[in-house]
Amino acid sequence: MKIRFKKSVIASLIMVLLLPAMSAFAEENTESVTQDNDIQVRLTEISNSYDLNEPLSDKDAEFVKTYAIKPAASGEFSTQAVQRQTFSGYKNSQGIDGRMDGYVTFDNGIIDREVRAYMKVWDGNGKARNITTSVRFTGFGVINDQGNIGKTVDATLSGSSSGKQTSYAMDKTYRYRALDFVTFADPSATIDNISFVGQYR
């Protein structure tokens, strides 16, 4: 079945993408964020705060555009080309030396998208554990004729070990169609119910 988009929506998207001052957008209304991890946390909060196709507040829309549209840096992705970002995570708790390494790759066409998530999780003590992995990704784009920015996709790639293992690796791909211009990925894992997250580097 063909997916049809209104010309006005596409035009609005193009206008958003071509705004020359995008990287300096909303200096007045956006929090001052100096750490990549702070940006990652804030983007996750925004992802959790809205339903699909619900307009973002002006403040949140400015934050997304300011911190996620610019060329790929830690935890940020641009739809101008294939982007790959690596992450790692660590947590020592209750005798578990939890470790995580992985990457997320986005292959973005005009409408067709593909995201691949690879993650390896293990206990640094070498003990067999029950392990789960998860990478949630959220896309933001123009959602109506008025040019409002909203969440256009929200999906999770996940996996789990088959019983207790010394390590577990997930390698999954998800394909979708959307007019999003920003995609943010949020990796996390559990080892015997001890949860921790990945941070981009």
Side-chain angles (χ1 to χ4, degrees):
M1 185 177 85
K2 292 184 177 179
I3 298 180
R4 300 180 183 275
F5 298 96
K6 290 184 177 180
K7 290 182 179 179
S8 55
V9 173
I10 296 176
S12 297
L13 174 61
I14 292 172
M15 288 179 65
V16 170
L17 289 172
L18 295 180
L19 283 174
M22 189 67 76
S23 62
F25 225 80
E27 221 174 347
E28 211 175 82
N29 296 324
T30 303
E31 305 96 306
S32 175
V33 179
T34 57
Q35 300 295 324
D36 286 344
N37 291 342
D38 293 336
I39 295 172
Q40 186 176 343
V41 168
R42 183 65 188 129
L43 286 172
T44 300
E45 290 175 349
I46 293 173
S47 298
N48 291 336
S49 299
Y50 296 90
D51 294 326
L52 287 174
N53 298 313
E54 178 184 356
L56 272 60
S57 69
D58 290 343
K59 185 177 181 179
D60 288 343
E62 305 297 9
F63 188 94
V64 167
K65 289 184 286 186
T66 300
Y67 290 101
I69 282 185
K70 57 189 176 182
S74 297
E76 301 162 10
F77 300 92
S78 165
T79 60
Q80 302 306 309
V82 175
Q83 299 289 347
R84 170 172 165 147
Q85 292 293 310
T86 58
F87 58 83
S88 60
Y90 173 77
K91 185 171 185 178
N92 194 311
S93 178
Q94 300 179 28
I96 296 175
D97 184 29
R99 298 174 183 268
M100 170 200 308
D101 270 314
Y103 61 84
V104 179
T105 300
F106 283 88
D107 187 352
N108 299 308
I110 300 300
I111 295 176
D112 295 307
R113 313 286 200 227
E114 178 180 294
V115 59
R116 177 187 177 191
Y118 173 82
M119 182 195 301
K120 183 178 180 180
V121 178
W122 70 99
D123 182 350
N125 296 319
K127 295 183 179 180
R129 306 283 189 179
N130 292 306
I131 301 171
T132 67
T133 56
S134 175
V135 176
R136 177 192 179 190
F137 64 96
T138 310
F140 297 95
V142 176
I143 58 171
N144 56 32
D145 294 350
Q146 288 72 47
N148 292 118
I149 306 302
K151 189 163 63 172
T152 57
V153 62
D154 190 341
T156 300
L157 296 172
S158 60
S160 62
S161 62
S162 179
K164 292 188 175 183
Q165 298 178 200
T166 55
S167 67
Y168 173 74
M170 176 186 79
D171 189 352
K172 294 189 175 183
T173 299
Y174 182 80
R175 296 177 179 86
Y176 66 102
R177 307 192 84 201
L179 285 173
D180 55 336
F181 60 82
V182 179
T183 310
F184 171 72
D186 196 13
S188 61
T190 63
I191 301 180
D192 283 354
N193 297 318
I194 299 299
S195 300
F196 61 115
V197 298
Q199 297 179 343
Y200 288 92
R201 56 179 193 267

